[in-house]
Amino acid sequence: MFAVHLMAFYFAKLKEDQIKKVDRFLYHMRLSDDTLFDIMARFQTEMEKGLAKDTNPTASVKMLPTFVRAIPDGSENGEFLSLDLGGSKFRVLKVQVAKEGKRQVQMESQFYPMPNEIIRGNGTELFEYLADCLADFMKTKNLKHKKLPLGLTFSFPCKQTKLEEGILLSWTKKFKVRGVQDIDVVSHLTKAIKKHKDIDVDILALVNDTVGTMMTCAYDDPSCEVGVIIGTGTNACYMEDMSNIDLVEGDEGRMCINTEWGAFGDDEALEDIRTEFDRELDLGSLNPGKQLFEKMISGLYLGELVRLILLKMAKTGLLFGGKKSSALHTKGKIETRHVAAMEKYKEGLANTREILTDLGLEPSDADCIAVQHVCTIVSFRSANLCAAALAAILTRLRENKKLARLRTTVGVDGTLYKTHPQYPKRLHKVVRKLVPNCDVRFLLSESGSTKGAAMVTAVASRMQAQRKQINRVLALFQLTREQLVDVQGKMRAELEYGLKRKTHSVATVKMLPTYVCGLPDGTEKGKFLALDLGGTNFRVLLVRIRSGRRSVRMYNKIFAIPLEIMQGTGEELFDHIVQCIADFLDYMGLKGAPLSLGFTFSFPCRQTSIDKGTLIRWTKGFKATDCEGEDMVDMLREAIKRRNEFDLDVVALVNDTVGTMMTCAYEDPNCEIGLIAGKWSKLPIDLNPFSYHAVFCNTLVPSQRYPSFPNRYEKMTSGMYLGEIVRQILIDLTKQGLLFRGKISERLRTRDIFETKFLSQIESDRLALLQVRRILQQLGLDSTCEDSIVVKEVCGAVSQRAAQLCGAGLAAIMEKRREDQGLEHLKITVGVDGTLYKLHPHFSRILQETVKELAPQCDVTFLLSEDGSGKGAALITAVAKRLQQLQKEN
């Protein structure tokens, strides 16, 4: 028993001594936590450089866009072909996705050798060989009668400008094919395939093996948004926000970035980490000075690193008694599979002795322990470096999503990761130490990158089909110039019909006279009371106008109109209005003061004079009885008389659009048109955008008119309805399975839930897609990034059509004004008000562009009205009083 303990002590002491000896010799290969955090920060900097357009050309980590914009969502189905070129064998695969409605994948594949004369020959021979292998596979599997989509896994750095194109930047690993660098590998492969007249394939996608790994794992776990290869070579990819990718047009959604992290350090960023053995290995490689990070990590190089270290230790007398063998001097004699075997938990030492003996060495027990520890340090450094770069990617993902804690999945493939007994455990442990605020699941890719290429192709095929369906719907809202000219022409005809006595009754644009017969000339002065009724809120204003300086000061108070008043009797409504006037005059200390009054009444009226207006119909939720067909000014006067407290002279009944025009005309005498494009909160609002200055032939006195638009036009252009149109489109797209995974939420079924304000928010250029998703979540819509992009497109199509139609109608009035005045060119100002025009990020620009295109002979200034309906009513009253005085004097 004593002997056993003594022997155990001896081996423990021997092991400890050998480990210390190796640790001292390979001190620079043992990386501290601080060093790993530093490497992680350096890699984050390199990622930023690779993503930025200005610094990408000099960046070592190229951060190549892959044009893979989505991961599988489970709806993919069909047959696909996949090719995998990147190692010692070429693989052809047929993938059946989701057969008979089940989320499963069936695969049939065949491997073909890659002879040295091919991988070091010329490009034509390479692509013809690949095409021959594909033709052989399709013949063997009886696929020659089918047209199939194909994805190509091409495990070399490529610059892509679209998914089905890739310009080879450089060969890596053992490939050195001439005449392929800087050409599109997809077009050359397509050309070679076309020589086989009996096969019909369509290459839809070129993907890196890392991207293929991510897509394979994402089919099983939708949380997978990172792919890592740790095999013959090493690389990583992840889903990056488009707004961060300078190299690609557009800010919407996400795209998979192929980091090409194997080149990290090619700009000397890792010189303090590299050792003499790394430098010696690099000098003897096929690509000196390139892929330096990969040469410290990947399976192609770890065995050679171990050999160089053992050779140096033997030369210095630290191993094998200073003896060396010819095999130990021979490059490539120790492979990564030997390293993995020597690190096995139980049989590692026995394997070490056997491998060293095969190299012609006579190792002692101490030598075997030392060599095993060399392998551990080399492979552990590999896992540490890989973990530091991966931790940088995970940190970026978390920061992109603005999360305190990230939950995600990393898809992993590669022979080193799969076959080395300790590698996965070491990698996972270090990653979790470096990013404690990330919950990471590592998912092994069982079917490799080739299945991933098929999945990318399946997703591309699905997205192509979905895009066609979505485009068909959106095309209904995209107006051509010819259509807009047609709308302009029809509007022009309706203007004429509305103006003529014979056709007025059948005109859809009624061109109602307002009896506003002049614009402000700057001489207006005095105090005026203005009322503004057009929604659930009622405003009373006192407006002080000073002549000469064109100065206006306003005081106002807002009063609610309760639902029971809106839908009660007309007498109750006007008594409530007069009560509000009384409260306001009390508040201002003006009760009993004689005041002229202008009444902004934003409902369709037929006027026979400026102070006479018969209500045609209520809108916006008002249903007060005994009002339609009655004169609104008379009803107001009667209510004032019943109160018997005021000295008020009701001078003018005006529409809010006319008020907008008059307000702007006070600032700019060229203003002859008023436009309102808006929406009252939660209630309908008429889009009565046009008042224009016309001349009556019999009086030669200017008169104001505005058209009351037909409901169909209003429902395509006004803020009240745009949100509801969007909701209807979203329901239609969801029913087609193109949005929200085909599930219509209860809130989406609710009428008017999608308010127009959401269009303005969603279409904002400053709003990131993540914020768009949050808006949709408020509406009970669980959206993906792809859903959010489509919703934004729908909102854009609906609002663009509204602005264009509004612009076409406005252009019709412009041209009429120009022709009426017999001018070749018309200089005119349009006064504008309304929340849609003011708050929507693109509505005003599109409207103005449409007017400019359809009325090129009109020089138009758009002047925003700050308080059109209230201030305008007072100005109309002031102008009316001035004209009345002139009439008396004449």
Side-chain angles (χ1 to χ4, degrees):
M1 179 67 76
F2 176 74
V4 172
H5 283 295
L6 189 62
M7 188 63 70
F9 175 77
Y10 167 75
F11 272 109
K13 188 75 172 69
L14 180 66
K15 185 174 183 180
E16 182 183 340
D17 291 344
Q18 296 305 309
I19 287 173
K20 285 180 178 177
K21 177 177 72 177
V22 173
D23 283 346
R24 283 193 299 271
F25 188 77
L26 297 179
Y27 172 78
H28 289 295
M29 278 194 167
R30 294 172 59 80
L31 305 177
S32 67
D33 288 352
D34 287 344
T35 302
L36 292 178
F37 279 116
D38 183 42
I39 293 169
M40 178 179 161
R42 293 186 211 181
F43 189 73
Q44 286 175 309
T45 302
E46 289 300 319
M47 291 171 74
E48 291 282 358
K49 284 171 66 178
L51 287 169
K53 194 172 187 178
D54 293 341
T55 51
N56 176 270
T58 58
S60 59
V61 180
K62 285 300 182 186
M63 305 294 284
L64 302 172
T66 66
F67 294 84
V68 173
R69 298 174 184 266
I71 60 174
D73 67 0
S75 66
E76 294 79 13
N77 65 83
E79 278 187 316
F80 305 92
L81 289 171
S82 181
L83 309 180
D84 188 357
L85 178 66
S88 57
K89 292 181 180 179
F90 172 59
R91 190 182 184 194
V92 185
L93 188 77
K94 187 199 84 162
V95 180
Q96 174 74 53
V97 181
K99 192 173 183 180
E100 297 173 358
K102 296 178 182 177
R103 186 170 176 141
Q104 61 182 23
V105 176
Q106 295 177 351
M107 297 183 293
E108 296 179 65
S109 69
Q110 190 168 330
F111 287 94
Y112 295 87
M114 289 300 296
N116 267 331
E117 59 268 24
I118 294 294
I119 65 175
R120 299 200 181 181
N122 64 58
T124 303
E125 292 168 348
L126 170 67
F127 292 117
E128 286 181 354
Y129 178 75
L130 301 182
D132 290 344
C133 294
L134 174 62
D136 176 74
F137 179 82
M138 293 184 74
K139 179 181 178 182
T140 304
K141 302 298 179 184
N142 195 28
L143 296 172
K144 288 197 169 183
H145 62 287
K146 293 184 177 181
K147 179 178 176 65
L148 293 173
L150 182 145
L152 170 62
T153 300
F154 192 73
S155 307
F156 306 95
C158 282
K159 180 182 178 182
Q160 291 186 261
T161 55
K162 48 189 174 183
L163 185 59
E164 66 278 14
E165 177 190 274
I167 309 297
L168 177 67
L169 296 178
S170 62
W171 288 113
T172 57
K173 304 164 191 174
K174 294 182 179 180
F175 280 70
K176 209 78 172 175
V177 183
R178 299 184 302 276
V180 182
Q181 197 164 326
D182 298 324
I183 69 165
D184 176 19
V185 294
V186 174
S187 62
H188 280 68
L189 179 58
T190 301
K191 185 178 176 182
I193 290 172
K194 282 183 177 176
K195 291 180 181 178
H196 294 265
K197 304 296 184 185
D198 52 347
I199 64 174
D200 189 5
V201 298
D202 185 12
I203 303 178
L204 294 185
L206 172 78
V207 299
N208 182 274
D209 54 349
T210 323
V211 181
T213 294
M214 185 191 76
M215 295 295 277
T216 297
C217 294
Y219 188 70
D220 299 319
D221 180 352
S223 298
C224 183
E225 49 192 345
V226 182
V228 177
I229 296 277
I230 313 167
T232 307
T234 185
N235 194 12
C237 69
Y238 72 103
M239 296 301 291
E240 176 62 84
D241 290 355
M242 282 286 291
S243 57
N244 296 329
I245 308 172
D246 283 356
L247 305 172
V248 179
E249 290 292 325
D251 290 332
E252 306 304 335
R254 300 200 299 169
M255 182 181 287
C256 182
I257 289 292
N258 167 23
T259 65
E260 287 296 337
W261 76 11
F264 179 33
D266 287 5
D267 58 355
E268 301 186 353
L270 296 176
E271 282 309 295
D272 57 327
I273 306 297
R274 295 175 72 219
T275 66
E276 59 178 294
F277 307 108
D278 297 309
R279 293 184 178 91
E280 187 177 350
L281 180 144
D282 177 48
L283 286 172
S285 68
L286 287 171
N287 52 349
K290 305 292 183 185
Q291 301 294 109
L292 298 183
F293 192 60
E294 181 173 78
K295 288 170 182 173
M296 292 189 280
I297 291 177
S298 79
L300 185 60
Y301 303 103
L302 293 194
E304 182 62 10
L305 268 176
V306 168
R307 185 190 72 81
L308 292 172
I309 293 166
L310 298 186
L311 183 60
K312 177 73 178 286
M313 290 182 77
K315 285 179 179 179
T316 55
L318 294 174
L319 283 177
F320 317 126
K323 295 178 182 177
K324 306 172 287 294
S325 67
S326 60
L328 192 59
H329 278 92
T330 305
K331 181 179 175 182
K333 279 295 183 179
I334 298 179
E335 300 176 14
T336 299
R337 62 186 176 91
H338 297 133
V339 176
M342 287 189 276
E343 285 197 72
K344 283 193 175 177
Y345 179 62
K346 289 184 178 178
E347 42 304 21
L349 280 175
N351 291 341
T352 304
R353 184 177 297 278
E354 183 181 336
I355 290 164
L356 293 174
T357 302
D358 288 344
L359 291 171
L361 299 165
E362 296 178 3
S364 65
D365 290 343
D367 290 334
C368 291
I369 292 169
V371 170
Q372 187 183 50
H373 194 53
V374 168
C375 293
T376 298
I377 288 176
V378 170
S379 62
F380 215 130
R381 185 185 69 156
S382 167
N384 278 337
L385 291 170
C386 196
L390 179 56
I393 289 174
L394 293 169
T395 299
R396 185 169 184 85
L397 275 176
R398 184 181 61 78
E399 290 174 352
N400 282 351
K401 295 182 178 186
K402 297 179 172 58
L403 296 174
R405 191 166 196 85
L406 173 72
R407 295 178 67 89
T408 194
T409 297
V410 176
V412 196
D413 201 358
T415 51
L416 180 57
Y417 183 88
K418 285 180 175 179
T419 61
H420 192 289
Q422 312 296 332
Y423 202 98
K425 182 172 66 176
R426 291 170 182 167
L427 177 72
H428 303 171
K429 184 177 180 180
V430 178
V431 166
R432 287 170 181 140
K433 181 167 60 175
L434 294 176
V435 280
N437 48 4
C438 296
D439 297 323
V440 186
R441 180 192 180 205
F442 289 87
L443 181 60
L444 187 64
S445 171
E446 297 297 339
S447 308
S449 54
T450 321
K451 174 185 169 184
M455 295 312 308
V456 172
T457 308
V459 170
S461 183
R462 165 176 64 82
M463 293 185 75
Q464 271 187 4
Q466 289 179 344
R467 175 44 56 186
K468 284 179 183 176
Q469 290 175 273
I470 291 166
N471 286 347
R472 275 198 294 270
V473 174
L474 296 183
L476 301 172
F477 296 84
Q478 292 161 354
L479 302 176
T480 64
R481 190 180 191 284
E482 290 71 26
Q483 288 173 312
L484 290 172
V485 169
D486 186 48
V487 171
Q488 180 186 15
K490 288 177 178 175
M491 177 64 76
R492 177 65 189 274
E494 287 297 324
L495 298 178
E496 299 294 347
Y497 291 153
L499 285 170
K500 292 176 180 175
R501 185 185 298 273
K502 289 183 179 178
T503 53
H504 179 83
S505 61
V506 295
T508 56
V509 180
K510 288 300 182 185
M511 305 298 287
L512 302 173
T514 67
Y515 296 89
V516 175
C517 296
L519 295 172
D521 64 3
T523 63
E524 295 79 13
K525 62 181 179 178
K527 294 178 186 175
F528 301 91
L529 200 62
L531 311 180
D532 185 359
L533 180 66
T536 52
N537 291 329
F538 170 62
R539 245 187 350 153
V540 184
L541 304 93
L542 179 69
V543 182
R544 297 180 191 270
I545 304 174
R546 294 181 183 179
S547 62
R549 290 185 298 167
R550 288 184 180 260
S551 169
V552 176
R553 294 189 68 183
M554 292 183 294
Y555 310 88
N556 74 88
K557 199 168 184 181
I558 297 173
F559 300 89
I561 306 284
L563 185 64
E564 61 270 20
I565 297 293
M566 290 169 64
Q567 300 184 358
T569 66
E571 189 172 302
E572 289 169 342
L573 172 63
F574 280 93
D575 283 346
H576 179 77
I577 287 171
V578 170
Q579 179 61 53
C580 295
I581 295 171
D583 291 346
F584 178 76
L585 293 176
D586 272 344
Y587 173 74
M588 295 298 297
L590 289 170
K591 205 164 189 178
L595 293 168
S596 298
L597 183 151
F599 187 10
T600 299
F601 189 75
S602 304
F603 303 91
C605 283
R606 181 169 283 105
Q607 288 188 254
T608 54
S609 68
I610 195 168
D611 63 345
K612 295 286 182 186
T614 302
L615 177 64
I616 297 172
R617 66 181 182 281
W618 283 118
T619 58
K620 309 166 191 174
F622 279 75
K623 295 180 182 177
T625 59
D626 305 321
C627 291
E628 292 181 0
E630 298 296 326
D631 185 340
M632 295 296 96
V633 175
D634 284 349
M635 292 190 75
L636 176 60
R637 284 172 175 158
E638 287 167 10
I640 291 170
K641 193 181 292 183
R642 283 195 297 273
R643 186 86 180 191
N644 197 26
E645 293 179 11
F646 315 120
D647 185 4
L648 300 177
D649 178 15
V650 184
V651 175
L653 180 75
V654 300
N655 179 273
D656 53 352
T657 322
V658 183
T660 293
M661 187 194 72
M662 293 296 278
T663 297
C664 293
Y666 190 68
E667 306 293 333
D668 181 350
N670 281 329
C671 183
E672 299 182 4
I673 297 176
L675 162 67
I676 288 185
K679 168 187 176 288
W680 290 99
S681 178
K682 297 184 181 178
L683 282 172
I685 177 170
D686 286 336
L687 183 72
N688 295 331
F690 309 116
S691 300
Y692 77 93
H693 209 59
V695 178
F696 282 159
C697 295
N698 59 338
T699 62
L700 298 179
V701 177
S703 172
Q704 287 310 117
R705 300 165 179 254
Y706 72 91
S708 177
F709 275 94
N711 285 342
R712 286 184 183 177
Y713 186 77
E714 179 179 70
K715 286 171 183 173
M716 289 189 287
T717 53
S718 87
M720 178 61 197
Y721 303 105
L722 300 190
E724 180 61 14
I725 293 171
V726 168
R727 187 184 74 89
Q728 295 290 347
I729 298 169
L730 298 186
I731 287 174
D732 181 64
L733 292 175
T734 306
K735 284 179 179 177
Q736 295 182 55
L738 303 173
L739 276 181
F740 313 129
R741 301 174 184 86
K743 296 175 183 176
I744 302 175
S745 69
E746 282 305 311
R747 292 201 71 187
L748 189 58
R749 296 180 196 275
T750 307
R751 185 177 177 83
D752 296 326
I753 192 69
F754 205 101
E755 297 176 46
T756 298
K757 69 176 182 180
F758 293 131
L759 271 77
S760 298
Q761 292 171 4
I762 287 170
E763 288 189 70
S764 171
D765 294 329
R766 297 188 301 273
L767 205 62
L769 213 59
L770 198 62
Q771 293 167 288
V772 175
R773 290 180 71 183
R774 285 180 186 149
I775 291 171
L776 295 174
Q777 284 166 1
Q778 291 172 19
L779 297 169
L781 301 170
D782 183 18
S783 67
T784 63
C785 274
E786 292 70 40
D787 290 337
S788 301
I789 291 170
V790 174
V791 170
K792 196 166 185 176
E793 286 184 80
V794 169
C795 291
V798 170
S799 61
Q800 176 172 294
R801 184 186 70 163
Q804 287 178 321
L805 287 173
C806 201
L810 187 55
I813 292 181
M814 300 281 188
E815 284 297 299
K816 176 169 175 55
R817 291 294 301 123
R818 185 181 65 79
E819 291 173 16
D820 284 351
Q821 295 180 42
L823 298 173
E824 186 173 341
H825 291 280
L826 172 69
K827 186 177 178 65
I828 195 168
T829 297
V830 178
V832 197
D833 202 354
T835 52
L836 187 59
Y837 187 91
K838 286 180 175 179
L839 302 180
H840 190 281
H842 307 300
F843 189 94
S844 59
R845 173 182 56 79
I846 296 169
L847 184 146
Q848 290 174 26
E849 288 172 354
T850 305
V851 169
K852 187 174 182 179
E853 184 178 3
L854 299 182
Q857 292 169 277
C858 298
D859 181 8
V860 187
T861 299
F862 288 85
L863 182 60
L864 198 60
S865 168
E866 294 304 323
D867 188 16
S869 53
K871 180 177 172 182
L875 285 166
I876 289 168
T877 304
V879 170
K881 293 294 285 184
R882 174 170 60 79
L883 293 176
Q884 285 175 8
Q885 186 63 34
L886 280 173
Q887 200 169 13
K888 284 180 184 177
E889 290 172 2
N890 289 334

